[in-house]
Amino acid sequence: MSVHDDLTAVQRCIDDLTRTVGRLAEHVGRDGLEIRRVRTDAAHLRESIDLLREVHTADGGPGTKGGTHRRPTAAPHRPAPGPDVVRIPDTPYDSTLWTDADDEGLGALHRHGP
């Protein structure tokens, strides 16, 4: 069997699966989480086979004229630029910055806990 024949056979099986899932959904209810997942999985299978068929025909397999149709390729992935690096000096901060601040977790100065 050729790849084209195999893809056609798989497509027929997915069509049968889709029809059977539709009949099953009528019996168990269309709104259940489980049947929605099965329908989604069947749809993903159909999309995957369509992509496989497209790639196969784009590579010059049966159904194309010498492979003239090429699927557009994505640009190479480049990582997004990160945030600018902020250098923090090792010198101590001016202590007057903290004169009216409370110590975190300790409460206000000169107060005692319960």
Side-chain angles (χ1 to χ4, degrees):
M1 255 185 147
S2 70
V3 175
H4 178 71
D5 294 338
D6 289 339
L7 287 171
T8 302
V10 170
Q11 188 67 47
R12 273 191 238 115
C13 291
I14 291 174
D15 292 342
D16 290 342
L17 175 67
T18 302
R19 281 190 295 275
T20 305
V21 168
R23 286 192 304 264
L24 180 63
E26 291 174 8
H27 294 295
V28 298
R30 294 188 176 276
D31 295 332
L33 174 63
E34 295 81 10
I35 197 69
R36 286 191 323 223
R37 289 181 64 186
V38 172
R39 279 195 317 245
T40 302
D41 290 345
H44 286 163
L45 281 172
R46 180 179 301 281
E47 291 171 5
S48 296
I49 293 301
D50 289 344
L51 288 173
L52 186 60
R53 182 183 304 271
E54 185 178 317
V55 167
H56 173 70
T57 57
D59 288 340
T64 62
K65 296 178 181 174
T68 56
H69 169 68
R70 289 280 177 202
R71 189 173 187 192
T73 57
H77 176 70
R78 292 185 183 156
D84 293 334
V85 177
V86 177
R87 301 273 180 211
I88 300 174
D90 290 332
T91 57
Y93 288 109
D94 182 10
S95 60
T96 58
L97 292 172
W98 314 111
T99 54
D100 60 342
D102 293 339
D103 289 328
E104 287 185 28
L106 300 176
L109 190 63
H110 304 300
R111 281 198 239 158
H112 298 286

